[in-house]
Amino acid sequence: MKLRGKQKRYLRSQANRMKPLFSVGKNGLNETWLEQVLDALHRRELIKVNIQQNSDLEVSDVQEYIEENSDINVVQTIGKTLLLFLPASKEKFQVYSVEVRNI
């Protein structure tokens, strides 16, 4: 799903008070980490990921890895924090995706 500017703005406003749910540390990125992020997104639709100071990866590296290996949308990057969005497949978990479609 390709997000337009107004949709991104809505998602950023919803994530304003969220705390990062996942972090990328010294171990870097792998398939297991990405599967856990996908599982969380299927239930929450919108999460933040933080890159720790001891990580060798840059924000652009993490963003590229996520976008190449999944359907996750990187809505925003601020410093070492990424905001990720993926519409939930089950209706009971669809909170943000319903609003995003209506925008």
Side-chain angles (χ1 to χ4, degrees):
M1 173 183 215
K2 181 74 175 156
L3 296 173
R4 295 186 310 268
K6 287 184 179 183
Q7 293 169 326
K8 287 181 181 181
R9 198 170 323 133
Y10 168 76
L11 291 171
R12 287 193 308 258
S13 71
Q14 296 301 308
N16 190 20
R17 302 247 185 247
M18 279 186 184
K19 300 279 186 215
L21 190 62
F22 285 91
S23 63
V24 178
K26 222 189 312 187
N27 297 333
L29 302 168
N30 56 36
E31 289 297 318
T32 307
W33 180 85
L34 188 60
E35 287 174 15
Q36 290 175 349
V37 169
L38 281 167
D39 187 43
L41 280 168
H42 285 302
R43 294 177 186 272
R44 295 178 182 238
E45 292 189 316
L46 190 67
I47 64 170
K48 284 185 178 180
V49 174
N50 187 30
I51 301 172
Q52 295 178 351
Q53 289 181 345
N54 65 352
S55 177
D56 297 333
L57 299 170
E58 295 296 322
V59 175
S60 58
D61 299 332
V62 176
Q63 181 175 354
E64 185 179 312
Y65 179 80
I66 290 171
E67 290 177 340
E68 285 180 2
N69 296 305
S70 66
D71 294 332
I72 299 172
N73 292 304
V74 178
V75 178
Q76 181 182 34
T77 59
I78 296 179
K80 291 195 170 233
T81 303
L82 291 94
L83 179 62
L84 308 178
F85 173 72
L86 182 69
S89 54
K90 294 183 180 178
E91 268 189 52
K92 67 179 182 179
F93 298 124
Q94 292 179 352
V95 177
Y96 301 112
S97 58
V98 173
E99 288 293 325
V100 167
R101 270 188 240 119
N102 293 333
I103 296 175

